[in-house]
Amino acid sequence: MNTADLGLPVDVPSTALFTDQYELTMLQAALRAGTAGRRSVFEVFTRRLPEGRRYGVVAGTGRVLDAVENFRFDADVLRFLREGEIVGEETLDWLAGYRFSGDIWGYPEGEVYFPGSPIMRVEGSFAECVLLETVILSILNHDSAIAAAASRMSSAAGGRPLIEMGARRTHELAAVAAARAAYVGGFASTSDLAAGFRYGIPTVGTSAHAFTLLHDRERDAFQAQVESMGRGTTLLVDTYDVAEAVRTAVEVAGPELGAVRIDSGDLLLVAHRVRQQLDELGATSTRIIVTSDLDEYAIASLAAAPVDAYGVGTQLVTGSGHPTASMVYKLVARAESEDPKAPLVPVAKKSSSGKISIGGRKWAARRLDGQGVAEAEVVGTGAVPAGLADRQLLVELVKGGEVVAREPLDATRDRHIAARADLPLSATQLSRGEPVLPTEYATEG
């Protein structure tokens, strides 16, 4: 099959090959050993947050649910595996009927997390769970990294809207996922039309410097844009001389001009000058939008500037220096036989390198202080203490192979705002620091 025949969809027809080969070789060996059907529990967690970060943000959960539903080995995929001699016929026969039939629990999308938080728990047979490792980590690591950066930026923006505009700085399909994750983290809109089409995120965009350069005069460019899009449009004013462009923009559009965009220079200084000039020209309601390689620190530095909105690209889609959340997917419990009634036994990796994990099927709860502010992330096995029963974080996402927790993207965005507000005030500080909540372990016995 020529992969070009598939075109370039926003979604892929199957997620079955979004995995590493060793998942299939483990499957084949387990099938032959008679251990593939053992009931197993895998958990997604991170051992540490990126250096200096005080909390993480769960994002990509909705995309994980889509990926699990689309994890199907169709004829073309099976042919590829057969021709590459990746697995044998017995394994191919098993894969042909693959449907995840287990359960998935997890932190709801938009929730915050900390080192050791069991962000997602996947339960079922070893065979069906092990195949999902790579695709789940791929989605959660990418989306959570973007959402964490977005959250820091939206906090620094102090209520001013943020526009995601990083599509040209990353892979075309990653750009769609990044726009979605940014929306979860607090961004208001995106410039990426595929993200708007796929997820219903509000889209925005007017013109680039090329449009101004196309015309003989800057005035002609502004006139053409206003005639096309109305007086409420946003005019880009830093192609030539900013002050002259602002004057021309108001002359062309009048005081009803929607906004001007500044994409270069000393943004703090230029924003003040442009605001003063707009007010003097009577365009007191014209907004100022700034772009130009912004990150959370640059946004925070503009807090006192007369800026109405920010456009962020490169730093957002690269996680503002941390493009992955470093999550792992580990087997933490399994049955001693394929008997459905066999009890689960905790298992864990032991290593001198620091890559250790804690065995057992876990729950998680967030303990609050007397003022209702979060004070600890409590992770445990066995019975949940009565005082934490109503503060549990994991929710059921998939039951018996069926998705049971789809929700509107706006709900995840609202959840994140609420979750962040419950954290101590130091959570939103941009200075380097430790996780704002300690992780405490409460194990059986």
Side-chain angles (χ1 to χ4, degrees):
M1 177 186 65
N2 184 349
T3 55
D5 294 340
L6 294 176
L8 187 62
V10 173
D11 284 323
V12 294
S14 168
T15 54
L17 292 183
F18 287 176
T19 190
D20 291 301
Q21 183 166 321
Y22 78 172
E23 315 293 2
L24 298 189
T25 57
M26 284 191 287
L27 167 66
Q28 179 162 288
L31 287 170
R32 291 181 179 177
T35 53
R38 289 187 175 186
R39 190 159 57 102
S40 300
V41 179
F42 286 82
E43 288 177 352
V44 176
F45 63 93
T46 184
R47 297 183 175 94
R48 63 190 65 84
L49 298 179
E51 184 180 357
R53 296 287 175 88
R54 296 170 184 252
Y55 62 91
V57 180
V58 177
T61 308
R63 296 207 308 119
V64 167
L65 300 181
D66 292 340
V68 171
E69 281 193 333
N70 291 329
F71 207 91
R72 303 284 186 269
F73 293 82
D74 59 26
D76 290 327
V77 170
L78 292 171
R79 185 181 307 113
F80 162 75
L81 297 175
R82 179 179 292 109
E83 291 174 353
E85 299 182 348
I86 293 171
V87 290
E89 288 299 322
E90 179 184 355
T91 305
L92 291 170
D93 290 342
W94 189 92
L95 292 173
Y98 179 86
R99 299 290 186 276
F100 180 72
S101 63
D103 302 328
I104 299 179
W105 290 70
Y107 280 38
E109 191 161 16
E111 183 58 83
V112 297
Y113 70 87
F114 300 90
S117 296
I119 296 161
M120 186 168 287
R121 189 174 72 221
V122 182
E123 305 182 36
S125 71
F126 176 84
E128 62 182 338
C129 294
V130 75
L131 294 183
L132 299 177
E133 175 181 2
T134 300
V135 70
I136 288 177
L137 288 180
S138 176
I139 292 170
L140 293 181
N141 268 315
H142 174 270
D143 290 23
S144 296
I146 304 303
S151 177
R152 285 163 61 86
M153 292 173 188
S154 65
S155 177
R160 297 169 178 174
L162 291 152
I163 306 165
E164 185 282 314
M165 44 198 306
R168 64 191 61 192
R169 304 302 187 203
T170 189
H171 183 279
E172 65 271 19
L173 295 185
V176 182
R180 182 187 184 281
Y183 193 71
V184 172
F187 273 55
S189 57
T190 179
S191 66
D192 189 78
L193 291 177
F197 172 75
R198 176 66 180 86
Y199 297 115
I201 301 170
T203 60
V204 296
T206 51
S207 68
H209 294 290
F211 186 73
T212 300
L213 296 171
L214 169 67
H215 294 80
D216 296 333
R217 299 183 306 164
E218 192 169 47
R219 178 181 295 274
D220 296 338
F222 289 173
Q223 187 69 49
Q225 184 173 326
V226 169
E227 289 178 356
S228 172
M229 304 186 71
R231 297 177 185 274
T233 191
T234 299
L235 296 176
L236 181 60
V237 295
D238 71 328
T239 305
Y240 304 118
D241 179 82
V242 173
E244 181 62 31
V246 170
R247 185 178 302 108
T248 302
V250 176
E251 288 176 359
V252 170
E256 299 84 10
L257 174 63
V260 295
R261 179 163 75 94
I262 307 167
D263 189 49
S264 60
D266 183 337
L267 297 178
L268 179 62
L269 175 63
V270 175
H272 277 287
R273 288 177 174 174
V274 168
R275 181 72 271 159
Q276 180 180 352
Q277 185 181 11
L278 287 169
D279 291 347
E280 291 173 350
L281 293 170
T284 56
S285 62
T286 298
R287 299 180 306 134
I288 296 175
I289 300 171
V290 297
T291 54
S292 184
D293 291 328
L294 298 177
D295 62 9
E296 59 266 48
Y297 301 101
I299 292 169
S301 73
L302 293 167
V307 172
D308 298 286
Y310 306 91
V312 190
T314 302
Q315 292 300 318
L316 176 66
V317 299
T318 57
S320 195
H322 298 287
T324 177
S326 298
M327 295 177 186
V328 294
Y329 182 97
K330 297 298 181 182
L331 180 66
V332 297
R334 50 88 174 166
E336 292 184 331
S337 72
E338 293 198 359
D339 184 344
K341 297 181 180 179
L344 290 172
V345 177
V347 295
K349 176 182 178 180
K350 304 294 183 183
S351 173
S352 60
S353 67
K355 288 187 174 182
I356 61 172
S357 56
I358 297 174
R361 182 180 185 272
K362 300 176 193 65
W363 51 263
R366 191 161 297 145
R367 191 173 68 238
L368 307 181
D369 65 15
Q371 285 71 48
V373 178
E375 65 176 7
E377 192 88 339
V378 185
V379 177
T381 57
V384 181
L388 295 174
D390 62 348
R391 297 296 304 168
Q392 294 190 71
L393 293 163
L394 279 80
V395 299
E396 195 168 30
L397 302 172
V398 176
K399 182 176 183 179
E402 298 295 324
V403 174
V404 295
R406 278 208 172 83
E407 58 186 347
L409 195 57
D410 281 334
T412 70
R413 191 168 181 267
D414 293 342
R415 177 181 295 116
H416 176 63
I417 293 171
R420 190 174 64 189
D422 285 343
L423 297 177
L425 288 176
S426 58
T428 57
Q429 292 178 344
L430 295 182
S431 57
R432 292 186 178 277
E434 296 300 312
V436 72
L437 296 186
T439 302
E440 300 176 0
Y441 290 96
T443 55
E444 288 181 289

